[in-house]
């Protein structure tokens, strides 16, 4: 009983790690830093995290978790409710269904695909926001944000991979 | 017991597989539905916003504290290098302020005398709530901040929010211990204002960057505007008290009047919520009594 119970708790805790880690990354980059202009071009941590876990362990970050994560981001950022939820769910679904392409793939391949995914994801976000406000938003900021997300990807990938290995062990 | 769990599994398994098959469609439809509902009625999704913000505001407050402490330390260290220059500048400012204090005292006395002669009652019943900004301005698409004061502190929807003695925005959503402030720079912000020098009324609209544009001005009124004119709240509509500075006119380009605030939007650390009750409008307690 005791062994089974703690085993189950351990399993649940492991299952929650990808979601909680994605949430933590989101909150860290949402915290008031006071760095001028940073918030506008801050990297999209949730796209990075969802991309990583959708390749590595989609079973630990199911679509409904991704959806909730997107809604939380929408609320905390103050944008229209549902936009980031759509983007993240699409990223998670697309990547996890094509997962076999990433098995044993080198980092360069994963990173190049990420460039496509982040461009498409932020592009969809920009488009829906523009439609919602019926005004074309600044495209340059979008490009800088995409570039920042790409720059941060290798570091966050390394960090998440470390946690990922801990989950296995 | 085993039979019960077996029955339960017989019911849940097809549901689970049905959900898994249509999960993507369901979620996209739900998110799309939320977008549309919010577009039609922004208050409909407010409960979700309030619950999420209230849940995460203690975490954001805790995370902001070390960042704020680090920033203060950095500013302190930096300011040691320029202490002498700062002292001289402050002395100059003090002399200037002292001159203005004399003028202000004289005007206050004169104003009080005139008010009493006209038998006009004062229209301000205000008190203030100070709060820390726990979330910077949204994204490229939204200009709002989160503050760690909410309903428990007396904050209510629509109240004016000040920073550096200027109008920063108004309360959009109120949770128990946190609130969202829609900044005057947001494209959806509309503030009734007047040009202080000429008394011409206008509406201040955010440009989603660092500025505000004035609309509802005739070409003649625009021609009368001088650079540096102060733009203040008019108090029209009874939402905001009159006389809060929105900014000063920076430039006029055609029919565009650009106003800049003296608030440093990138360094918005604290905000003051103004609890204002217009004497002509019944307070909330009066409505409760009537009901």
């Amino acid at each position: 009983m005791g062994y089974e119970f703690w085993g189950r708790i351990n399993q649940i805790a492991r299952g929650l790690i990808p979601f909680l880690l994605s949430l933590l990354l989101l909150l860290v980059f949402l915290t008031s830093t006071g760095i001028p202009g940073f918030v506008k071009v801050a990297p999209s941590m949730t796209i990075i995290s969802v991309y990583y876990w959708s390749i590595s362990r989609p079973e630990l970050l199911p679509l409904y978790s991704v959806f909730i994560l997107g809604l939380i981001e929408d609320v905390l950022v103050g944008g229209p409710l549902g936009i980031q939820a759509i983007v993240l769910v699409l990223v998670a679904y697309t990547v996890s269904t094509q997962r076999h392409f990433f098995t044993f793939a080198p980092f360069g391949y994963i990173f190049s695909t990420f460039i496509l995914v982040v461009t498409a994801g932020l592009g969809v976000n920009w488009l829906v926001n523009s439609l919602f406000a019926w005004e074309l938003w600044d495209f340059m900021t979008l490009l800088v944000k995409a570039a920042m997300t790409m720059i941060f990807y290798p570091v966050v990938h390394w960090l998440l991979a470390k946690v990922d290995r801990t989950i296995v062990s | 017991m085993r039979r019960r769990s077996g029955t339960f599994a017989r019911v849940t398994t097809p549901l689970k597989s049905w959900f898994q098959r249509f999960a993507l469609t369901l979620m996209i439809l739900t998110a799309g539905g939320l977008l549309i509902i919010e577009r039609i009625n922004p208050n409909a999704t407010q409960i979700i916003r309030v619950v999420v913000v209230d849940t995460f505001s203690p975490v954001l407050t805790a995370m902001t504290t070390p960042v704020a402490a680090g920033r203060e330390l950095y500013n302190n260290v930096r300011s040691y290098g320029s202490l002498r220059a700062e002292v001289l500048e402050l002395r100059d400012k003090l002399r200037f302020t002292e001159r203005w204090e004399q003028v202000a005292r004289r005007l206050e006395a004169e104003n009080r005398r005139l008010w009493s002669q006209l038998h006009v009652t004062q229209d301000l019943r205000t008190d203030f709530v100070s709060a820390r900004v726990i979330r910077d301005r949204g994204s490229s698409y939204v200009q709002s901040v989160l503050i760690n004061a909410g309903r428990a502190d007396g904050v209510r929807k629509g109240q004016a929010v000040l920073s550096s003695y200027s109008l920063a925005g108004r309360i959009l959503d109120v949770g128990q211990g946190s609130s969202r402030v829609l900044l005057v720079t947001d494209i959806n912000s509309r503030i009734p204002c007047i040009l202080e020098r000429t008394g011409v009324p206008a509406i201040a609209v955010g440009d989603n960057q660092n500025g505000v544009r004035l609309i509802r001005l005739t070409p003649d009124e625009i021609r009368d505007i001088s650079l540096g004119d102060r733009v203040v709240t008019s108090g029209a509509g009874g939402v905001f008290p009159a006389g809060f500075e929105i900014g000063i006119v920076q430039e006029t380009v055609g029919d565009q009047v650009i106003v800049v605030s003296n608030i440093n939007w990138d360094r918005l650390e604290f905000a003051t919520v103004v609890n204002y009750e217009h004497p002509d409008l019944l307070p909330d307690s009066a409505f409760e009594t009537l009901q």
Side-chain angles (χ1 to χ4, degrees):
Chain A
M1 158 70 188
Y3 180 77
E4 248 181 51
F5 174 76
W6 288 113
R8 183 81 187 128
I9 293 286
N10 187 20
Q11 201 183 348
I12 293 170
R14 279 165 191 243
L16 279 174
I17 286 174
F19 179 75
L20 292 179
L21 208 57
S22 308
L23 201 59
L24 182 71
L25 285 170
L26 168 69
L27 292 174
V28 165
F29 278 80
L30 281 182
T31 306
S32 178
T33 56
I35 302 169
F38 178 72
V39 96
K40 276 188 172 182
V41 296
S44 177
M45 281 295 141
T46 44
I47 292 189
I48 296 181
S49 189
V50 166
Y51 178 79
Y52 177 86
W53 292 111
S54 299
I55 292 173
S56 172
R57 285 163 184 277
E59 71 282 1
L60 292 187
L61 194 65
L63 274 189
Y64 61 84
S65 298
V66 174
F67 181 74
I68 292 167
L69 193 66
L71 285 186
I72 292 173
E73 186 170 359
D74 280 328
V75 172
L76 293 179
V77 165
L81 200 62
I83 291 184
Q84 192 65 357
I86 292 177
V87 170
L88 292 185
V89 163
L90 283 176
V91 167
Y93 183 79
T94 315
V95 176
S96 58
T97 49
Q98 306 302 314
R99 199 179 159 214
H100 53 277
F101 287 116
F102 299 102
T103 320
F104 305 117
F107 177 77
Y109 178 78
I110 294 173
F111 186 58
S112 352
T113 320
F114 177 74
I115 292 173
L116 294 177
V117 168
V118 82
T119 312
L122 292 176
V124 169
N125 196 317
W126 177 84
L127 192 70
V128 182
N129 263 302
S130 297
L131 281 172
F132 204 77
W134 204 243
E135 175 165 340
L136 284 180
W137 293 112
D138 183 19
F139 200 71
M140 204 55 197
T141 314
L142 171 83
L143 290 181
V144 178
K145 192 177 176 69
M148 285 286 280
T149 313
M150 289 166 204
I151 290 168
F152 268 79
Y153 182 75
V155 181
V156 183
H157 178 103
W158 175 79
L159 190 83
L160 294 176
K162 279 222 160 232
V163 177
D164 197 359
R165 276 196 289 275
T166 314
I167 296 176
V168 178
S169 65
Chain B
M1 180 69 188
R2 190 173 295 164
R3 194 174 342 161
R4 266 183 64 189
S5 69
T7 317
F8 184 70
R10 265 204 300 279
V11 175
T12 54
T13 309
L15 268 177
K16 206 173 164 185
S17 79
W18 183 87
F19 177 76
Q20 275 166 354
R21 191 180 305 166
F22 297 107
L24 180 72
T25 321
L26 268 175
M27 281 167 201
I28 300 281
L29 285 177
T30 311
L34 282 172
L35 275 170
I36 293 164
I37 290 169
E38 198 174 50
R39 184 76 180 151
I40 296 166
N41 177 14
N43 289 331
T45 54
Q46 206 179 2
I47 184 73
I48 302 177
R49 291 187 180 276
V50 167
V51 168
V52 172
V53 168
D54 257 356
T55 309
F56 289 100
S57 69
V59 185
L60 282 170
T61 307
M63 287 167 97
T64 309
T65 310
V67 175
R71 198 190 305 161
E72 203 177 314
L73 182 72
Y74 170 75
N75 287 338
N76 284 344
V77 172
R78 236 183 86 184
S79 67
Y80 282 127
S82 55
L83 268 182
R84 194 179 146 68
E86 261 180 45
V87 167
L88 290 175
E89 195 188 325
L90 284 173
R91 274 188 194 153
D92 273 354
K93 275 190 182 166
L94 187 64
R95 273 196 289 274
F96 182 75
T97 315
E98 278 169 354
R99 275 206 304 276
W100 269 105
E101 194 191 348
Q102 296 303 319
V103 177
R105 280 182 192 283
R106 189 167 49 77
L107 287 174
E108 191 191 14
E110 188 184 320
N111 204 24
R112 208 178 293 137
R113 206 171 54 245
L114 291 171
W115 280 95
S116 67
Q117 279 174 13
L118 290 167
H119 303 293
V120 178
T121 51
Q122 290 284 346
D123 72 340
L124 285 181
R125 271 187 289 158
T126 49
D127 56 80
F128 302 90
V129 178
S130 292
R132 183 186 279 281
V133 174
I134 52 171
R135 159 82 183 98
D136 276 339
R137 284 190 291 169
S139 60
S140 327
Y141 316 118
V142 194
Q143 298 276 307
S144 67
V145 293
L146 290 181
I147 57 169
N148 64 351
R151 212 176 297 117
D153 309 286
V155 177
R156 287 201 313 275
K157 196 173 174 177
Q159 286 176 338
V161 179
L162 305 179
S163 182
S164 311
Y165 304 106
S166 290
L167 185 72
R170 69 181 161 88
I171 299 291
L172 193 65
D173 302 317
V174 193
Q176 197 56 27
S178 59
S179 315
R180 175 176 298 284
V181 182
L182 184 77
L183 300 179
V184 291
T185 52
D186 190 277
I187 208 155
N188 293 310
S189 166
R190 302 276 187 280
I191 313 280
C193 60
I194 53 166
L195 285 138
E196 198 178 47
R197 188 175 58 81
T198 55
V200 171
I203 302 284
V205 182
D207 65 359
N208 254 38
Q209 297 291 322
N210 286 333
V212 168
R213 285 178 299 119
L214 296 186
I215 59 167
R216 305 279 165 82
L217 287 167
T218 63
D220 285 342
E221 288 168 345
I222 292 173
R223 262 194 299 279
D224 283 347
I225 292 173
S226 308
L227 299 188
D229 275 357
R230 264 181 100 219
V231 178
V232 296
T233 51
S234 67
V239 177
F240 292 151
F244 285 155
E245 183 180 289
I246 294 174
I248 55 163
V249 174
Q250 190 187 40
E251 62 175 328
T252 53
V253 188
D255 61 345
Q256 298 271 315
V257 180
I258 313 291
V259 174
V260 285
S261 169
N262 73 0
I263 298 173
N264 184 349
W265 298 108
D266 293 316
R267 297 267 164 90
L268 203 57
E269 284 183 63
F270 291 96
T272 308
V273 184
V274 183
N275 189 352
Y276 166 74
E277 281 181 13
H278 197 281
D280 295 339
L281 302 173
L282 285 172
D284 288 352
S285 52
F287 283 109
E288 280 162 20
T289 315
L290 282 172
Q291 279 165 0

